[in-house]
Amino acid sequence: QVQLVQSGAEVKKPGSSVKVSCKASGGTFSSYAISWVRQAPGQGLEWMGGIIPIFGTANYAQKFQGRVTITTDESTSTAYMELSSLRSEDTAVYYCARAQAGLWFGELNYWGQGTLVTVSS
Amino acid sequence: EIVLTQSPGTLSLSPGERATLSCRASQSVSSSYLAWYQQKPGQAPRLLIYGASSRATGIPDRFSGSGSGTDFTLTISRLEPEDFAVYYCQQYGSSPRGRALTFGGGTKVEIK
């Protein structure tokens, strides 16, 4: 059974950066896309970007281009999402999620527990 | 970028009733690339339907998906108490910067 375990909650100052980790276990890591999806309080789901570890190149949503960096460490089956130039509107729960099928970004059938990032001065 | 519009925003129904949720895309979406999720408060989303009409593992058969092109529907044939939640559609397609996923704004199914 695949499990995604994310790092703990963070409180950050405006203008700083945050890096959230997502450790996968129980399945093949390299060939399944990991996406990052965020959810602001009381709001809907927003895809930020994703990466297929074996290819190594991330795709980003236009809204976050230039401000988000998604990477992986295949040796530890861990994905990372770093968001820079934080502002209050970035306060949200950040989820990592794995695609159901290999080598594509489609539907997401395994999700991490979520990481709350609070941006406040 | 494809925009997904879900309607209604809120659906007030009683247990045992039928729920019909709509997801409309701003341009045609391949049926293979349309999914539905359920989210309950404080929980991560759960995949219900993929490929527009295929149920994910462990999803009860009261959940069904249909549609093609720009119009897709999630139907819950008889609402159970545990089905009251928020539902999102999602598509996978291309953008000028490569592959991209987008989500609809969600439909809340609440107890009447």
Side-chain angles (χ1 to χ4, degrees):
Chain A
Q1 179 71 349
V2 174
Q3 278 196 308
L4 302 176
V5 178
Q6 299 183 221
S7 50
E10 303 261 13
V11 179
K12 293 293 183 179
K13 300 285 189 187
S16 66
S17 298
V18 68
K19 191 170 186 177
V20 181
S21 67
C22 170
K23 183 171 176 60
S25 62
T28 303
F29 180 74
S30 296
S31 56
Y32 288 83
I34 295 288
S35 282
W36 288 89
V37 177
R38 78 175 187 181
Q39 187 169 38
Q43 302 300 309
L45 304 171
E46 186 173 34
W47 184 77
M48 301 177 68
I51 189 168
I52 300 175
I54 198 169
F55 296 151
T57 302
N59 290 334
Y60 302 115
Q62 187 169 356
K63 174 178 178 178
F64 299 100
Q65 192 80 22
R67 211 160 63 93
V68 67
T69 303
I70 295 172
T71 57
T72 59
D73 181 345
E74 290 185 68
S75 69
T76 60
S77 299
T78 303
Y80 299 91
M81 185 283 299
E82 184 170 21
L83 187 62
S84 62
S85 303
L86 290 170
R87 34 206 187 235
S88 59
E89 310 89 88
D90 294 318
T91 294
V93 175
Y94 289 76
Y95 294 102
C96 63
R98 201 198 82 163
Q100 176 168 245
L103 301 178
W104 90 318
F105 281 94
E107 66 276 359
L108 307 169
N109 70 330
Y110 293 107
W111 291 72
Q113 82 275 21
T115 296
L116 175 61
V117 175
T118 303
V119 182
S120 174
S121 55
Chain B
E1 179 182 301
I2 295 177
V3 176
L4 300 178
T5 302
Q6 292 189 240
S7 61
T10 302
L11 200 51
S12 298
L13 295 167
S14 300
E17 289 194 293
R18 181 184 188 91
T20 303
L21 288 66
S22 173
C23 175
R24 179 161 290 176
S26 59
Q27 53 189 283
S28 185
V29 173
S30 167
S31 296
S32 299
Y33 302 155
L34 195 287
W36 291 91
Y37 299 82
Q38 176 193 69
Q39 188 180 33
K40 297 179 181 179
Q43 296 184 16
R46 177 174 71 145
L47 177 66
L48 297 176
I49 300 288
Y50 64 96
S53 60
S54 297
R55 274 188 299 277
T57 302
I59 301 304
D61 61 8
R62 65 180 181 272
F63 291 91
S64 63
S66 63
S68 64
T70 60
D71 290 297
F72 297 87
T73 300
L74 174 70
T75 301
I76 311 171
S77 59
R78 287 176 53 87
L79 283 163
E80 297 287 342
E82 62 268 26
D83 298 337
F84 292 92
V86 180
Y87 293 83
Y88 295 94
C89 59
Q90 172 240 312
Q91 70 85 31
Y92 161 58
S94 296
S95 74
R97 288 180 170 79
R99 301 301 183 185
L101 278 66
T102 53
F103 289 93
T107 290
K108 182 179 182 180
V109 178
E110 65 176 22
I111 299 177
K112 187 174 182 180

